[in-house]
């Protein structure tokens, strides 16, 4: 029992795991070996199949060439075409019989060694046809209606390719009534003068022995052949169980390349397809083999070895489960506590267990979390004291120069006039100073701040005359929210003193306020002379200025950062000759942070 209670080093646990993991490399090597053997087997089968396809291609090409040569020879025989035309033009039965005998003898001289040719039909341009029965017996009805033949697509194709022999497969030979699957037709339009020649088309019916032989050979094998002509029409399909989906997928897969191989899957199973294109006629030969039959031997070996490997793997999993749990369990608990700490919670609750090294790591982390929490508390207290001191120092700055200049203005006004202006200016100064020195807190409602700002603007108008005016556009939803005192005065003062200095036309300051996504957006825009980028940078750095409270725009930026955080502040955009815009972004506060509701 003491042995199991002892905290084992992680190295000892890894040694045990490595001993059990030997099964996995064996299984992996076995699997890769079988895959390599399968690949070699498929390569050999593909090679043999391609050789077979080349032989089949050669045989088909030879037979096809014979069909084309024979058909072309008949169509280019001027004497034969002349006889067929004379037969058509003759009205005497004796003459027709003579011409018919000559035509048959002539055609037989071409077809005496071509038993595949079932019949030949000379179709005349103005209707009617001369029909020739082949030299060998065929149980096929080839008596085709001439008008029906002329309406078919194969007839039109042959006319479009005058002088060229066109071969057609079963899909285009539906007009022939026969149970024979291996019927091919050939058609050619003779190239002779119409005045000499009445024959518009010669149509041959051919029983393709080459296809029949190929089908018989494939019936003794596991695979099947599909032969396509140059237009993608099926000339031969020897598959025993024709499946349209497999056939369509196979043809699509083979249509993009001249030769190659690929695998296809359907409900019927996995198929291995090899194909090649005949160079002379552009026909395509496709050979389909069931994948399972190709790899049956490999599967037997694979199943046996995988059963042995699976037994070893199960044993490995049982042993490793208990070993891994003793290591992974404490590590997961430690990771969970680290994630809690990363999210800001320092209440670490670790159940210290596991191997010696993990136990020591957890204990160290627990002590570290406690120490970090103590340091954060100390740091927060120091930051609070520091921020409070900086804010108090900023808010306590009063510039005597401003007071002297204002009192001098009052003195001059008293000398020049006797009542109203002196009273209004003095009253505005008293109220403004009262608001500035008020110690009720750092925050004020937007409506009160705007009233203080109006008093300041009144004083500035007395000092500088009616050279500017101020327009307000404050949403009613923001007037009762809270902001820092004297936040807008330095910005407005900068617009009046610097923006309108030396400006002859009327200066306009626009102050707008609105809320956007739980934020208060205050915008101060003037049509002053603007400033350069360098001057804007200096404005955000200069803190000692001659203003009402000695608070420059740099101080405003610092106050926002210290009170609200880095997410808030102000943005200045300016263009020379057009003016300046200052956008102040603040949190939307519905209550006084210095006096939160109880």
């Amino acid at each position: 029992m003491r042995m199991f209670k002892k905290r084992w080093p992680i190295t000892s646990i890894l040694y045990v795991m490595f001993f059990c993991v030997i099964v996995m490399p064996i299984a992996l090597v076995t699997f890769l070996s079988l895959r390599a053997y399968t690949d070699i087997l498929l390569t050999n089968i593909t090679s043999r199949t391609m050789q077979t396809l080349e032989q089949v291609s050669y045989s088909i090409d030879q037979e096809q060439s014979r069909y084309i040569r024979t058909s072309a020879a008949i169509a280019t025989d001027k004497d034969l075409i002349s006889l067929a035309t004379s037969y058509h033009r003759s009205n005497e039965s004796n003459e027709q019989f003579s011409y018919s005998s000559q035509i048959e003898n002539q055609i037989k001289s071409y077809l005496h060694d071509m038993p595949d040719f079932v019949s030949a039909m000379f179709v005349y341009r103005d209707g009617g046809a001369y029909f020739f029965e082949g030299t060998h017996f065929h149980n096929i009805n080839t008596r085709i209606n001439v008008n029906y033949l002329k309406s078919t697509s194969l007839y039109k194709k042959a006319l479009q390719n005058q002088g060229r022999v066109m071969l057609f497969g079963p899909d285009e030979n539906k007009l022939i009534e026969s149970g024979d699957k291996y019927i091919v037709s050939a058609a050619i339009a003779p190239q002779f003068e119409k005045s000499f020649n009445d024959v518009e088309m010669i149509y041959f019916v051919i029983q393709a022995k080459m296809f029949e032989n190929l089908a018989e050979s494939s019936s003794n094998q596991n695979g099947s052949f599909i032969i396509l002509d140059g237009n993608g029409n099926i000339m031969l399909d020897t598959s025993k169980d024709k499946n349209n989906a497999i056939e369509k997928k196979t043809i699509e897969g083979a249509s993009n390349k001249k030769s190659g191989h690929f695998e296809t899957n359907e409900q019927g199973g996995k198929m291995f397809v090899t194909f090649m294109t005949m160079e002379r006629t552009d026909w395509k030969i496709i050979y389909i083999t069931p994948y399972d039959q190709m790899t049956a031997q490999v599967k037997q070996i694979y199943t046996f070895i995988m059963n042995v490997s699976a037994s070893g793997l199960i044993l490995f999993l049982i042993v490793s489960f208990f070993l891994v749990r003793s290591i992974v369990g404490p590590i997961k608990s430690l990771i969970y506590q680290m994630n809690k700490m990363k999210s800001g919670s320092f209440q670490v609750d670790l159940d210290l267990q596991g191997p010696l090294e993990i136990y020591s790591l957890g204990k160290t982390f627990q002590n570290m979390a406690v120490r970090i929490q103590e340091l954060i508390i100390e740091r927060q207290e120091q930051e609070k004291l520091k921020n409070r001191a900086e804010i108090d120092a900023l808010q306590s700055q009063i510039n005597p120069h401003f007071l002297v200049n204002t009192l001098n203005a009052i003195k001059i006004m008293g000398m020049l006039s006797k009542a109203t202006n002196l009273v209004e200016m003095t009253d505005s100064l008293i109220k403004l100073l009262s608001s500035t020195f008020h110690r009720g807190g750092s925050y004020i409602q937007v409506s009160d701040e705007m009233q203080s700002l109006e008093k300041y603007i009144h004083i500035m108008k007395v000092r500088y005359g009616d050279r500017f005016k101020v327009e307000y556009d404050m949403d009613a939803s923001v007037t009762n929210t809270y902001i820092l005192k004297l936040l807008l005065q330095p910005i407005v003062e900068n617009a009046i003193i610097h923006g309108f200095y030396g400006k002859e036309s009327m200066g306009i300051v626009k102050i707008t306020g609105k809320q956007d996504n739980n934020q208060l957006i205050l915008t101060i825009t003037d049509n002053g002379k603007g400033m350069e980028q360098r001057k804007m940078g200096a404005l955000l750095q200069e803190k000692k200025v001659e203003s009402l409270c000695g608070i420059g725009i740099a101080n405003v930026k610092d106050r926002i950062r210290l009170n609200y955080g880095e997410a808030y502040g102000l943005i200045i955009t300016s263009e020379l000759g057009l003016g300046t815009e200052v956008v102040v972004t603040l949190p939307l506060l519905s209550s006084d942070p210095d006096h939160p509701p109880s």
Side-chain angles (χ1 to χ4, degrees):
M1 293 299 294
R2 291 182 180 178
M3 176 180 177
F4 291 101
K5 289 184 179 179
K6 179 182 177 182
R7 302 193 181 280
W8 289 78
I10 195 170
T11 51
S12 300
I13 297 175
L14 290 175
Y15 289 149
V16 176
M17 291 184 65
F18 290 153
F19 177 78
C20 297
V21 160
I22 293 175
V23 177
M24 291 301 294
I26 294 176
L28 181 62
V29 169
T30 303
F31 176 76
L32 294 177
S33 299
L34 287 171
R35 285 295 301 272
Y37 178 74
T38 304
D39 291 341
I40 293 172
L41 178 65
L42 290 177
T43 302
N44 292 335
I45 292 175
T46 303
S47 177
R48 290 198 301 270
T49 304
M50 293 301 290
Q51 291 177 0
T52 302
L53 291 182
E54 289 178 359
Q55 294 174 359
V56 172
S57 172
Y58 179 78
S59 300
I60 292 176
D61 186 65
Q62 292 296 313
E63 289 296 314
Q64 186 183 25
S65 297
R66 288 180 62 207
Y67 297 157
I68 292 173
R69 286 197 304 269
T70 303
S71 301
I74 292 174
T76 56
D77 189 332
K78 187 175 181 180
D79 294 336
L80 181 59
I81 300 299
S82 177
L83 287 171
T85 302
S86 298
Y87 173 85
H88 178 64
R89 294 178 179 178
S90 174
N91 294 323
E92 298 291 333
S93 58
N94 293 332
E95 291 181 355
Q96 286 185 343
F97 178 77
S98 175
Y99 290 139
S100 175
S101 300
Q102 294 179 59
I103 292 172
E104 287 187 8
N105 292 332
Q106 196 86 347
I107 295 176
K108 285 179 180 179
S109 66
Y110 287 107
L111 301 182
H112 70 280
D113 60 344
M114 298 291 291
D116 291 357
F117 277 78
V118 178
S119 65
M121 180 184 292
F122 291 75
V123 182
Y124 296 109
R125 191 173 291 105
D126 57 353
Y130 175 83
F131 183 81
F132 170 78
E133 192 75 39
T135 58
H136 295 75
F137 174 75
H138 297 279
N139 188 20
I140 300 172
N141 181 16
T142 58
R143 295 282 180 174
I144 303 168
N145 183 278
V146 175
N147 294 328
Y148 180 42
L149 175 62
K150 286 188 174 184
S151 65
T152 59
S153 60
L154 65 85
Y155 196 88
K156 295 174 183 177
K157 288 181 183 178
L159 285 178
Q160 292 172 358
N161 295 272
Q162 189 176 23
R164 180 182 173 187
V165 178
M166 304 293 293
L167 292 178
F168 302 98
D171 287 350
E172 296 178 287
N173 284 319
K174 295 180 181 178
L175 68 167
I176 300 174
E177 297 179 0
S178 171
D180 199 319
K181 298 180 292 184
Y182 311 113
I183 296 297
V184 177
S185 63
I188 179 172
Q191 289 181 308
F192 291 107
E193 293 290 336
K194 291 184 179 180
S195 58
F196 162 76
N197 171 31
D198 289 348
V199 179
E200 183 178 48
M201 184 73 61
I202 304 177
Y203 179 75
F204 301 92
V205 177
I206 304 169
Q207 188 177 35
K209 291 294 183 181
M210 59 177 179
F211 288 163
E212 186 176 357
N213 296 335
L214 186 61
E216 290 177 357
S217 65
S218 64
S219 64
N220 299 325
Q221 303 173 4
N222 296 323
S224 57
F225 286 96
I226 295 178
I227 298 178
L228 308 176
D229 66 9
N231 297 319
N233 298 313
I234 297 176
M235 304 294 287
L236 176 68
D237 186 353
T238 66
S239 55
K240 298 175 182 178
D241 299 321
K242 292 183 174 61
N243 184 315
N244 292 332
I246 293 178
E247 185 178 84
K248 182 179 179 182
K249 201 168 184 179
T250 301
I251 293 173
E252 288 178 354
S255 62
N256 297 326
K257 297 180 180 179
K258 285 189 171 297
S259 63
H261 60 87
F262 60 91
E263 299 171 8
T264 181
N265 288 284
E266 287 295 336
Q267 294 180 354
K270 190 175 183 181
M271 299 291 180
F272 188 79
V273 180
T274 52
F275 61 94
M276 70 173 297
T277 305
M278 298 168 58
E279 294 183 359
R280 182 180 297 180
T281 58
D282 212 26
W283 282 17
K284 189 155 290 186
I285 305 176
I286 305 172
Y287 186 66
I288 307 172
T289 311
Y291 193 87
D292 291 340
Q293 296 180 8
M294 292 174 57
T295 58
Q297 184 178 3
V298 176
K299 281 189 174 181
Q300 292 178 357
I301 301 173
Y302 180 79
T303 302
F304 172 75
I305 295 179
M306 289 308 295
N307 287 336
V308 175
S309 301
S311 301
L313 181 61
I314 292 172
L315 178 62
F316 163 74
L317 292 175
I318 293 173
V319 175
S320 63
F321 173 77
F322 297 100
L323 294 175
V324 170
R325 192 171 68 169
S326 66
I327 299 175
V328 173
I331 292 178
K332 284 185 175 179
S333 177
L334 184 59
I335 292 173
Y336 174 74
Q337 295 298 330
M338 286 180 175
N339 288 330
K340 281 181 61 179
M341 185 174 172
K342 183 174 67 174
S343 63
S345 175
F346 293 91
Q347 299 299 325
V348 177
D349 183 18
L350 273 176
D351 182 15
L352 300 175
Q353 57 181 349
L356 177 62
E357 289 83 354
I358 297 178
Y359 174 83
S360 300
L361 180 63
K363 189 69 177 176
T364 303
F365 173 75
Q366 195 174 46
N367 295 335
M368 180 186 69
V370 173
R371 181 55 183 159
I372 290 175
Q373 190 173 11
E374 293 174 353
L375 291 173
I376 288 176
I377 293 173
E378 292 177 6
R379 179 66 177 174
Q380 287 175 346
E381 293 297 330
Q382 292 176 0
E383 286 294 327
K384 285 181 181 179
L385 294 174
K386 179 181 177 182
N387 290 347
R388 187 72 259 171
E390 289 186 20
I391 293 171
D392 291 342
L394 287 171
Q395 291 184 338
S396 65
Q397 296 179 32
I398 301 297
N399 195 325
H401 294 283
F402 183 86
L403 295 177
V404 172
N405 291 338
T406 304
L407 292 175
N408 283 333
I410 294 172
K411 180 179 177 181
I412 294 170
M413 287 297 301
M415 291 172 63
L416 297 177
S417 60
K418 294 183 178 181
T420 306
N421 290 339
L422 182 61
V423 173
E424 290 179 357
M425 185 171 185
T426 305
D427 182 63
S428 297
L429 179 60
I430 291 171
K431 290 181 179 180
L432 185 58
L433 292 176
S434 296
S435 175
T436 303
F437 289 117
H438 180 56
R439 295 296 181 179
S442 303
Y443 290 86
I444 189 173
Q445 283 188 325
V446 172
S447 57
D448 295 334
E449 177 72 1
M450 298 308 296
Q451 290 179 5
S452 299
L453 188 60
E454 288 178 358
K455 301 301 179 184
Y456 169 76
I457 292 170
H458 179 73
I459 294 173
M460 296 302 288
K461 281 189 175 183
V462 173
R463 288 180 59 185
Y464 294 101
D466 290 331
R467 291 188 299 153
F468 68 92
K469 63 178 180 179
V470 181
E471 298 176 355
Y472 304 92
D473 183 13
M474 305 295 292
D475 286 353
S477 59
V478 303
T479 55
N480 293 327
T481 57
Y482 286 82
I483 62 173
L484 290 170
K485 289 180 179 180
L486 296 174
L487 202 62
L488 302 180
Q489 179 271 328
I491 303 173
V492 175
E493 183 178 41
N494 183 77
I496 295 171
I497 295 176
H498 300 290
F500 300 146
Y501 178 77
K503 183 177 177 65
E504 295 180 359
S505 59
M506 173 64 72
I508 300 175
V509 179
K510 293 182 180 180
I511 303 174
T512 62
K514 63 179 180 179
Q515 65 174 359
D516 183 21
N517 294 329
N518 208 28
Q519 290 182 338
L520 174 60
I521 309 297
L522 299 171
T523 306
I524 299 93
T525 309
D526 67 70
N527 63 342
K529 59 184 181 181
M531 67 183 82
E532 298 177 346
Q533 188 70 30
R534 177 180 55 80
K535 191 172 182 180
M536 280 194 292
L539 192 64
L540 291 173
Q541 299 296 327
E542 185 179 3
K543 296 185 178 181
K544 293 182 180 181
V545 295
E546 295 185 4
S547 62
L548 171 64
C549 294
I551 301 176
I553 293 181
N555 298 107
V556 173
K557 185 183 76 170
D558 290 342
R559 290 179 67 203
I560 294 173
R561 176 180 57 82
L562 292 172
N563 284 275
Y564 301 128
E566 297 293 339
Y568 303 94
L570 55 83
I571 299 174
I572 303 175
T573 56
S574 182
E575 188 171 350
L576 286 175
L578 296 179
T580 303
E581 180 184 76
V582 180
V583 180
V584 182
T585 304
L586 305 173
L588 196 66
L589 303 176
S590 58
S591 59
D592 189 351
D594 290 339
H595 302 88
S598 58

